[in-house]
Structures are given as structure tokens and as C-alpha cells.
Coordinates of all heavy atoms in Angstrom, one line a residue:
Y173 N 0.8 -1.2 0.0 CA 0.0 0.0 0.0 C 0.9 1.2 0.0 O 1.8 1.4 0.8 CB -0.9 0.0 1.2 CG -1.9 1.1 1.3 CD1 -2.7 1.5 0.3 CD2 -1.9 1.9 2.5 CE1 -3.6 2.5 0.4 CE2 -2.8 3.0 2.6 CZ -3.6 3.3 1.5 OH -4.5 4.3 1.7
G174 N 0.6 2.2 -0.9 CA 1.4 3.4 -1.1 C 1.5 4.3 0.2 O 2.5 4.9 0.4
D175 N 0.5 4.3 1.0 CA 0.5 5.2 2.2 C 0.7 4.4 3.5 O 0.3 4.8 4.5 CB -0.9 6.0 2.2 CG -0.8 7.2 3.1 OD1 0.3 7.7 3.3 OD2 -1.8 7.5 3.7
A176 N 1.3 3.2 3.4 CA 1.4 2.3 4.5 C 2.2 3.0 5.6 O 2.0 2.7 6.8 CB 2.1 1.0 4.1
A177 N 3.2 3.9 5.3 CA 4.1 4.5 6.2 C 3.3 5.4 7.3 O 3.8 5.7 8.3 CB 5.1 5.4 5.5
S178 N 2.1 5.8 6.9 CA 1.3 6.6 7.8 C 0.6 5.8 8.9 O 0.2 6.3 10.0 CB 0.2 7.4 7.1 OG -0.7 6.5 6.5
W179 N 0.5 4.5 8.7 CA -0.2 3.6 9.7 C 0.4 3.4 11.0 O -0.3 3.3 12.0 CB -0.6 2.3 9.0 CG -1.9 2.4 8.3 CD1 -2.1 2.6 7.0 CD2 -3.2 2.4 8.9 NE1 -3.5 2.7 6.7 CE2 -4.2 2.6 7.9 CE3 -3.6 2.3 10.2 CZ2 -5.5 2.7 8.2 CZ3 -5.0 2.4 10.5 CH2 -5.9 2.6 9.5
P180 N 1.7 3.4 11.2 CA 2.2 3.2 12.5 C 1.8 4.3 13.5 O 1.5 4.1 14.7 CB 3.8 3.3 12.3 CG 3.9 2.6 11.0 CD 2.8 3.1 10.2
L181 N 1.7 5.6 13.0 CA 1.2 6.7 13.8 C -0.2 6.5 14.2 O -0.6 6.7 15.3 CB 1.4 8.0 13.1 CG 0.9 9.3 13.8 CD1 1.6 9.4 15.2 CD2 1.1 10.5 13.0
Y182 N -1.1 6.1 13.2 CA -2.5 5.9 13.5 C -2.7 4.8 14.5 O -3.5 4.9 15.5 CB -3.2 5.5 12.2 CG -3.3 6.6 11.2 CD1 -3.3 6.3 9.8 CD2 -3.5 7.9 11.5 CE1 -3.4 7.3 8.9 CE2 -3.6 8.9 10.6 CZ -3.5 8.6 9.2 OH -3.7 9.6 8.3
L183 N -1.9 3.7 14.4 CA -2.0 2.6 15.3 C -1.5 3.0 16.7 O -2.0 2.5 17.7 CB -1.3 1.4 14.7 CG -1.9 0.8 13.5 CD1 -1.0 -0.2 12.9 CD2 -3.3 0.2 13.9
L184 N -0.5 3.8 16.8 CA 0.0 4.3 18.1 C -1.1 5.1 18.8 O -1.4 4.9 20.0 CB 1.2 5.2 17.9 CG 1.8 5.9 19.1 CD1 2.2 4.8 20.2 CD2 2.9 6.8 18.8
L185 N -1.8 6.0 18.0 CA -2.9 6.8 18.6 C -4.0 5.8 19.1 O -4.6 6.0 20.1 CB -3.4 7.8 17.6 CG -2.5 8.9 17.3 CD1 -3.0 9.8 16.2 CD2 -2.2 9.8 18.5
L186 N -4.3 4.8 18.3 CA -5.3 3.9 18.6 C -5.0 3.1 19.9 O -5.8 2.9 20.8 CB -5.5 2.9 17.5 CG -6.9 2.1 17.5 CD1 -8.0 3.0 17.3 CD2 -6.8 1.1 16.4
A187 N -3.7 2.7 20.0 CA -3.3 2.0 21.2 C -3.3 2.9 22.5 O -3.8 2.5 23.5 CB -1.8 1.5 21.0
L188 N -2.9 4.1 22.3 CA -3.0 5.1 23.4 C -4.4 5.3 23.8 O -4.7 5.5 25.0 CB -2.3 6.4 23.1 CG -0.8 6.3 22.9 CD1 -0.2 7.7 22.4 CD2 -0.1 6.0 24.3
T189 N -5.3 5.4 22.8 CA -6.7 5.6 23.1 C -7.3 4.4 23.9 O -8.0 4.6 24.9 CB -7.5 5.7 21.8 OG1 -7.1 6.9 21.1 CG2 -9.0 5.9 22.1
G190 N -6.9 3.2 23.5 CA -7.4 2.0 24.3 C -6.9 2.0 25.7 O -7.7 1.7 26.6
V191 N -5.6 2.3 25.9 CA -5.1 2.3 27.2 C -5.7 3.4 28.1 O -6.0 3.2 29.2 CB -3.5 2.5 27.2 CG1 -3.0 2.6 28.6 CG2 -2.9 1.3 26.5
G192 N -5.9 4.6 27.5 CA -6.5 5.7 28.2 C -7.9 5.4 28.6 O -8.3 5.7 29.7
L193 N -8.7 4.8 27.7 CA -10.1 4.4 28.0 C -10.1 3.4 29.2 O -11.0 3.5 30.1 CB -10.7 3.8 26.8 CG -11.1 4.7 25.7 CD1 -11.6 4.0 24.5 CD2 -12.2 5.8 26.1
A194 N -9.1 2.5 29.3 CA -9.1 1.6 30.4 C -8.8 2.3 31.7 O -9.2 1.7 32.8 CB -8.0 0.5 30.1
R195 N -8.3 3.5 31.7 CA -8.0 4.2 32.9 C -8.9 5.3 33.2 O -8.7 6.1 34.1 CB -6.5 4.7 32.9 CG -5.5 3.6 32.7 CD -5.5 2.8 34.0 NE -5.0 3.5 35.2 CZ -5.1 3.1 36.4 NH1 -5.8 2.0 36.7 NH2 -4.6 3.8 37.4
S196 N -10.0 5.4 32.4 CA -10.9 6.5 32.6 C -12.0 6.1 33.7 O -12.8 5.3 33.4 CB -11.6 6.9 31.3 OG -10.7 7.2 30.3
E197 N -12.0 6.8 34.8 CA -12.8 6.4 35.9 C -13.6 7.6 36.5 O -14.2 7.4 37.6 CB -11.9 5.8 37.0 CG -11.2 4.5 36.6 CD -10.3 3.9 37.7 OE1 -10.3 4.5 38.8 OE2 -9.7 2.9 37.4
D198 N -13.7 8.7 35.9 CA -14.4 9.9 36.5 C -15.9 9.6 36.5 O -16.5 9.4 35.4 CB -14.0 11.1 35.7 CG -14.7 12.3 36.3 OD1 -14.4 12.7 37.4 OD2 -15.6 12.8 35.6
A199 N -16.5 9.7 37.6 CA -17.9 9.4 37.8 C -18.8 10.4 37.1 O -19.8 10.1 36.5 CB -18.3 9.2 39.2
V200 N -18.5 11.7 37.3 CA -19.3 12.8 36.8 C -19.4 12.8 35.3 O -20.5 12.8 34.7 CB -18.8 14.2 37.4 CG1 -19.6 15.3 36.7 CG2 -18.9 14.2 38.9
S201 N -18.2 12.8 34.7 CA -18.2 12.8 33.2 C -18.9 11.5 32.7 O -19.4 11.5 31.6 CB -16.8 13.0 32.7 OG -16.0 11.9 33.1
T202 N -18.8 10.4 33.4 CA -19.4 9.2 32.9 C -20.9 9.4 32.9 O -21.6 9.0 31.9 CB -19.1 8.0 33.9 OG1 -17.7 7.7 33.8 CG2 -19.9 6.8 33.5
R203 N -21.5 10.0 33.9 CA -23.0 10.2 33.9 C -23.4 11.2 32.8 O -24.4 11.0 32.1 CB -23.4 10.7 35.2 CG -23.3 9.7 36.4 CD -23.6 10.3 37.7 NE -23.4 9.3 38.8 CZ -24.3 8.4 39.2 NH1 -25.5 8.4 38.6 NH2 -24.1 7.6 40.2
V204 N -22.5 12.2 32.5 CA -22.8 13.1 31.4 C -22.7 12.4 30.1 O -23.6 12.6 29.2 CB -21.9 14.3 31.5 CG1 -22.1 15.2 30.3 CG2 -22.1 15.1 32.8
F205 N -21.7 11.5 30.0 CA -21.6 10.8 28.7 C -22.7 9.9 28.5 O -23.2 9.7 27.3 CB -20.2 10.0 28.8 CG -19.6 9.8 27.4 CD1 -18.6 10.6 27.0 CD2 -20.1 8.8 26.6 CE1 -18.0 10.4 25.7 CE2 -19.5 8.6 25.3 CZ -18.5 9.4 24.9
V206 N -23.2 9.2 29.5 CA -24.4 8.3 29.4 C -25.6 9.1 29.0 O -26.4 8.7 28.1 CB -24.6 7.6 30.7 CG1 -25.9 6.9 30.7 CG2 -23.5 6.6 31.0
A207 N -25.8 10.3 29.6 CA -26.9 11.1 29.2 C -26.8 11.5 27.7 O -27.8 11.5 27.0 CB -27.0 12.4 30.1
A208 N -25.6 11.9 27.3 CA -25.4 12.2 25.9 C -25.7 11.0 25.0 O -26.2 11.2 23.9 CB -24.0 12.8 25.7
G209 N -25.3 9.9 25.4 CA -25.6 8.7 24.7 C -27.0 8.4 24.6 O -27.5 8.0 23.5
A210 N -27.8 8.6 25.7 CA -29.2 8.4 25.7 C -29.9 9.4 24.7 O -30.8 9.0 23.9 CB -29.8 8.5 27.1
L211 N -29.4 10.6 24.7 CA -29.9 11.6 23.8 C -29.6 11.2 22.3 O -30.5 11.4 21.4 CB -29.3 13.0 24.1 CG -29.7 14.1 23.1 CD1 -31.2 14.3 23.1 CD2 -29.0 15.4 23.5
S212 N -28.5 10.6 22.1 CA -28.1 10.2 20.8 C -29.0 9.1 20.3 O -29.5 9.1 19.1 CB -26.7 9.7 20.8 OG -25.7 10.7 21.2
L213 N -29.4 8.1 21.1 CA -30.3 7.1 20.8 C -31.7 7.7 20.4 O -32.3 7.2 19.5 CB -30.4 6.1 21.9 CG -29.1 5.3 22.3 CD1 -29.4 4.3 23.4 CD2 -28.5 4.6 21.0
L214 N -32.1 8.6 21.2 CA -33.4 9.3 20.9 C -33.4 10.0 19.6 O -34.3 9.9 18.8 CB -33.7 10.2 22.1 CG -35.1 10.9 22.0 CD1 -36.2 9.9 22.2 CD2 -35.2 12.0 23.2

């Protein structure tokens, strides 16, 4: 693939996102996010 060299950076960001999500524990923002998700479904 001609643009394959760009993928290591994308995958690094994806890995950091996954690790960061595993460490996200704030209760207030979680409730706000759930409310936003419920609004999205509506």
C-alpha cells in the first residue's frame, strides 16, 4: 500500500486511546456521557 508509512502513527494513537479508556474512571463525566448517549439514541 502506497500510504502504509502513515499507519504506525495511526495505530499508536489507537493503542494510546485504548489504554487511556481503560484508565478513565471519573464518575461525573461518565454520567454526562451516558446522558449524551441516551440523547443520541433518541
Side-chain angles (χ1 to χ4, degrees):
Y173 182 55
D175 196 31
S178 65
W179 269 101
L181 176 59
Y182 293 145
L183 291 169
L184 173 62
L185 290 174
L186 198 65
L188 290 174
T189 298
V191 173
L193 287 172
R195 297 296 292 166
S196 299
E197 300 179 358
D198 178 67
V200 174
S201 61
T202 295
R203 292 176 184 272
V204 175
F205 209 100
V206 168
L211 176 60
S212 301
L213 297 182
L214 185 62

